[in-house]
């Protein structure tokens, strides 16, 4: 098991954002966390990646207890995250942005800049390498988030909505990039709203609703799970759908 | 990695100035420019490169100035030992201020206020302690000689300042072109994103403040050698802190040539104002203020950014 989360609980004052969350990610898989808005997905990522200290629970990464470890140390261990709201180093060029991350494992400036070029190639940013990051479009910034995370040469990559806000052509371009990570031995845990992409990309889906995991399994099974349908469409929705399906079948 | 040739060229071109001019005024002015450029460079290492705006660089300048003065007057040590100790004392002061601020994640105006507070506390201490000469200050005996780092002519001080300024440029260029510079820039642009990418923000900011304080301390020690007199206001007063940040902001923060350009422009402006107003006290400060407002409003990259395409319009965008 590469990542093991158990009993994870995060409260903001009286609000419980995560309640006793448990999930696991196996090496080499692409796993996804889905759930309606406000379910606690980004909070879960923050707690796993060291940006938030959970009130209770454990996070184990590659067998080591990393609960409450600061993000920079987790990154050095090989666990890196991207931000849903992209955070480019606006005053630096795209290459310099990626090189910051590459410096984690490469002391030499030349080596870091060269690695930045190779990573940019991979996420289709090579033509913008020498441009200021502030000039990038939303799609470009999402790519830059991914590129920087990749340049840290991680074992586990947490992707927070890297496809959100992209048009279908841009999504189609990004999907193979994410799928291709597996060949490099990078395990992926992603949060995604673009359901078709989740269905196509992920091996396993965890459904987070109201701060709790309500279902998990292969994507095709999860989307038929009554608990999941109700979470998205409201109470009674699963039953109603079942009835409609039966009627349609009978007619 | 950009070559260091421009810095060598600068030093080489600046070297013969004392032979080219017979004017003591010109040489004095050039010495002040170099001194303030180095102080500005010290500020720039922390404020420009790491984005941590200090409002209390007097704390480091004054520590260096007093350290060498005290060692020479009270202990009778030579000026070289005094100079080295001044740098080390300023480094220790930098580490203290840095730890007190960065350990507790103080940023922006909070960091500026903490640095200001440290400088003010140092000023009050210097004003009341016997070892610093309290309000009377410290006077170094006039004793020209290389071991005392005192020169009989202005050229000696000019070259001393040129060495310091060149050292500052080399340090800045070295930091810019290595991993530390990349990490400082990342922390400056977005600290959380930098940490997510494995940058230990606390560690790199500590490195920046230690370099910055050490260089400011060296300028303080130079000041002691140049004027042979110190009092709490000269060493730790807010005016020093303002001088430290004014040059780099006018010239261009984060650029290695910005502090030198800014110091030159401000000193020349100060001289011009003095000449035009017939030496009205504070008139040069009014001129500085006007230039600062214009620069911040119209050229946030500083004068060094003039004529360069602006990439700042979308700074801080998110989404």
């Amino acid at each position: 098991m590469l990542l093991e989360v158990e009993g994870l609980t995060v409260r903001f004052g009286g609000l419980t954002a995560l309640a006793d969350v448990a999930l696991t990610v196996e090496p080499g898989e692409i796993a996804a966390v889905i759930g309606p808005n406000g379910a606690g997905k980004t909070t879960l990522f923050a707690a796993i990646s060291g940006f938030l200290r959970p009130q209770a629970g454990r996070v184990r990464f590659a067998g080591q207890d990393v609960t409450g470890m600061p993000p920079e140390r987790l990154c050095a261990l090989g666990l890196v995250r991207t931000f849903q709201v992209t955070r480019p180093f606006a005053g630096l060029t795209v290459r310099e942005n990626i090189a910051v991350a590459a410096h984690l494992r490469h002391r030499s400036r030349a080596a870091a800049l060269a690695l930045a070029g190779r990573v940019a190639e991979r996420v289709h940013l090579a033509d913008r390498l020498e441009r200021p990051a502030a000039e990038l479009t939303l799609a470009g910034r999402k790519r830059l988030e991914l590129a920087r995370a990749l340049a840290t040469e991680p074992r586990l990559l947490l992707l927070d909505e890297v496809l959100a806000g992209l048009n279908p052509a841009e999504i189609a371009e990004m999907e193979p990039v994410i799928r291709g990570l597996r060949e490099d031995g990078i395990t992926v845990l992603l949060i995604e709203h673009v359901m078709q992409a989740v269905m196509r990309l992920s091996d396993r889906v965890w459904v987070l609703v109201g701060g709790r995991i309500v279902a998990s399994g292969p994507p095709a099974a999860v989307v038929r799970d009554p608990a999941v349908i109700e979470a998205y469409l409201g109470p009674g929705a699963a039953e109603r759908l079942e009835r409609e399906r039966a009627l349609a079948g009978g007619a | 990695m950009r070559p260091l040739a421009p810095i060598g060229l600068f030093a080489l071109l600046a070297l013969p100035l004392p032979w080219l001019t017979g004017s003591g005024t010109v040489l004095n002015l050039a010495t002040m420019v170099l001194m303030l450029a180095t102080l500005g460079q010290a500020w720039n290492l922390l404020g420009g490169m790491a984005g941590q705006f200090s409002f209390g660089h007097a704390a480091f300048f004054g520590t260096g100035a007093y350290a060498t003065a005290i060692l020479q007057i009270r202990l009778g040590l030579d000026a070289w030992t005094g100079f080295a100790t001044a740098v080390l004392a300023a480094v220790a002061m930098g580490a203290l201020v840095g730890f007190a601020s960065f350990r507790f994640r103080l940023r922006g105006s909070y960091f500026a206020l903490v640095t200001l507070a440290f400088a003010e506390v140092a000023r009050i201490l210097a004003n009341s302690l016997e070892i610093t000469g309290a309000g009377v200050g410290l006077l170094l005996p006039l004793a020209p000689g290389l071991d005392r780092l005192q020169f009989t002519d202005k050229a000696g001080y000019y070259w001393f300042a040129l060495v310091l300024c060149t050292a500052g440029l080399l340090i800045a260029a070295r930091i810019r072109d290595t991993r530390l510079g990349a990490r400082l820039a990342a922390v400056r642009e977005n600290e959380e994103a930098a940490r997510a990418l494995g940058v230990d923000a606390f560690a790199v900011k500590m490195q920046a403040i230690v370099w910055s304080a050490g260089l400011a301390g060296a300028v303080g020690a130079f000041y002691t050698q140049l004027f042979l007199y110190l009092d709490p206001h000269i060493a730790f007063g807010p005016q020093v802190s303002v001088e430290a940040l004014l040059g780099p902001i006018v010239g261009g923060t984060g650029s290695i040539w910005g502090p030198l350009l800014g110091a030159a422009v401000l000193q020349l402006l100060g001289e011009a104002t003095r000449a035009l107003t017939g030496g009205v006290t504070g008139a040069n400060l009014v001129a500085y203020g006007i230039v600062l407002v214009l620069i911040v409003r119209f050229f946030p990259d500083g004068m060094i950014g003039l004529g360069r395409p602006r990439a700042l319009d979308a700074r801080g965008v998110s989404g």
Side-chain angles (χ1 to χ4, degrees):
Chain A
M1 214 60 73
L2 188 60
L3 180 74
E4 274 181 276
V5 174
E6 56 182 54
L8 206 67
T9 301
V10 172
R11 285 184 216 99
F12 299 114
L15 176 83
T16 302
L18 294 177
D20 201 22
V21 169
L23 64 82
T24 55
V25 178
E26 291 183 46
E29 75 173 340
I30 296 180
V33 177
I34 62 168
N37 283 328
K41 303 183 296 291
T42 294
T43 305
L44 174 64
F45 265 28
I48 293 174
S49 62
F51 278 91
L52 254 183
R53 186 181 276 276
Q55 272 81 16
R58 293 261 147 264
V59 178
R60 242 186 296 279
F61 176 62
Q64 189 183 349
D65 187 340
V66 297
T67 321
M69 194 180 268
E72 60 269 21
R73 281 188 57 204
L74 275 167
C75 187
L77 288 177
L79 191 164
V80 70
R81 70 169 296 187
T82 65
F83 291 96
Q84 177 187 357
V85 177
T86 59
R87 300 180 178 193
F89 304 131
L92 309 185
T93 65
V94 167
R95 187 193 287 276
E96 286 167 343
N97 261 266
I98 307 173
V100 170
H103 268 308
L104 179 64
R105 308 200 197 280
H106 302 272
R107 172 175 279 278
S108 129
R109 191 91 188 111
L113 291 170
L115 176 59
R118 291 198 298 279
V119 173
E121 195 89 42
R122 222 173 137 171
V123 302
H124 311 295
L125 264 180
D127 55 331
R128 322 232 33 100
L129 264 175
E130 315 306 333
R131 305 301 306 166
E135 283 182 6
L136 292 176
T137 59
L138 176 65
R141 291 208 300 276
K142 295 268 182 189
R143 277 171 207 184
L144 180 58
E145 281 283 326
L146 178 59
R148 291 196 310 197
L150 285 178
T152 66
E153 298 170 71
R155 295 171 68 187
L156 175 62
L157 182 55
L158 307 187
L159 298 177
D160 194 348
E161 302 214 4
V162 282
L163 301 178
L166 304 190
N167 65 39
E170 290 161 344
I171 291 175
E173 205 177 26
M174 280 291 259
E175 270 188 38
V177 175
I178 296 171
R179 202 173 287 121
L181 299 174
R182 205 195 306 246
E183 278 124 60
D184 294 347
I186 300 172
T187 306
V188 177
L189 177 62
L190 50 91
I191 294 176
E192 203 46 80
H193 264 134
V194 184
M195 281 304 289
Q196 295 92 323
V198 171
M199 301 291 286
R200 285 192 296 262
L201 279 172
S202 44
D203 305 310
R204 197 149 47 133
V205 175
W206 301 83
V207 185
L208 192 65
V209 177
R212 292 168 193 280
I213 296 284
V214 298
S216 74
V222 161
V223 293
R224 281 196 296 272
D225 189 312
V228 178
I229 296 170
E230 305 216 336
Y232 276 91
L233 301 176
E239 210 180 306
R240 208 161 54 240
L241 278 179
E242 198 52 51
R243 223 171 27 236
E244 280 167 20
R245 199 171 290 145
L247 282 174
Chain B
M1 198 163 296
R2 277 173 272 183
L4 301 176
I7 298 173
L9 189 67
F10 158 74
L12 210 64
L13 288 176
L15 196 65
L17 184 74
W19 297 307
L20 298 176
T21 175
S23 157
T25 317
V26 170
L27 214 50
N28 275 343
L29 183 67
T31 306
M32 289 309 284
V33 166
L34 291 173
M35 185 182 92
L36 290 174
T38 315
L39 184 62
Q41 190 70 272
W43 186 91
N44 188 39
L45 296 179
L46 183 65
M49 294 195 172
Q52 311 298 310
F53 277 37
S54 149
F55 208 79
H57 256 54
F60 314 132
F61 173 90
T63 299
Y66 268 112
T68 187
I70 290 169
L71 247 56
Q72 289 181 68
I73 295 171
R74 308 268 190 239
L75 301 176
L77 295 174
D78 67 289
W80 294 83
T81 311
F83 193 88
T85 312
V87 172
L88 292 178
V91 161
M93 187 69 171
L96 177 69
V97 176
F99 191 84
S101 320
F102 302 144
R103 181 73 188 76
F104 302 101
R105 307 253 162 83
L106 297 182
R107 299 186 211 170
S109 44
Y110 297 98
F111 173 70
L113 283 175
V114 167
T115 56
L116 176 64
F118 267 95
E120 283 297 286
V121 167
R123 187 176 62 79
I124 291 160
L125 283 178
N127 213 7
S128 49
L129 294 178
E130 201 186 327
I131 191 169
T132 52
V136 181
L138 290 176
L139 192 65
L140 267 80
L142 185 68
L146 203 57
D147 62 322
R148 297 251 138 223
L149 279 170
Q150 291 182 27
F151 307 96
T152 45
D153 63 346
K154 294 181 184 348
Y157 289 105
Y158 170 80
W159 282 318
F160 191 173
L162 182 58
V163 168
L164 285 184
C165 187
T166 307
L169 285 166
L170 288 171
I171 291 168
R174 172 81 187 145
I175 290 177
R176 177 197 65 191
D177 293 338
T178 52
R179 180 167 69 175
L180 178 58
R183 289 178 163 176
L184 290 175
V187 166
R188 177 188 70 210
E189 299 287 327
N190 191 320
E191 186 166 333
E192 289 222 305
R195 295 184 68 205
L197 298 174
V199 174
D200 185 340
F202 173 71
V204 299
K205 284 193 281 188
M206 283 301 284
Q207 287 179 68
I209 199 170
V210 157
W211 278 107
S212 176
L215 190 60
V219 178
F222 171 79
Y223 183 95
T224 300
Q225 297 306 132
L226 182 61
F227 292 101
L228 300 175
Y229 174 72
L230 279 183
D231 71 21
H233 189 75
I234 289 174
F236 289 118
Q239 208 167 337
V240 180
S241 301
V242 172
E243 294 268 21
L245 61 83
L246 211 49
I249 289 178
V250 167
T253 56
S255 131
I256 73 163
W257 296 101
L260 180 61
L261 180 65
V265 167
L266 288 172
Q267 284 305 299
L268 290 172
L269 188 72
E271 283 303 309
T273 328
R274 254 190 293 277
L276 284 173
T277 61
V280 175
T281 317
N284 61 328
L285 295 179
V286 174
Y288 289 179
I290 293 168
V291 169
L292 185 65
V293 168
L294 292 176
I295 289 284
V296 169
R297 172 66 185 82
F298 296 105
F299 309 105
D301 282 354
M303 304 185 85
I304 206 121
L306 298 179
R308 197 195 286 161
R310 293 221 7 230
L312 293 171
D313 299 324
R315 178 165 283 201
V317 287
S318 59

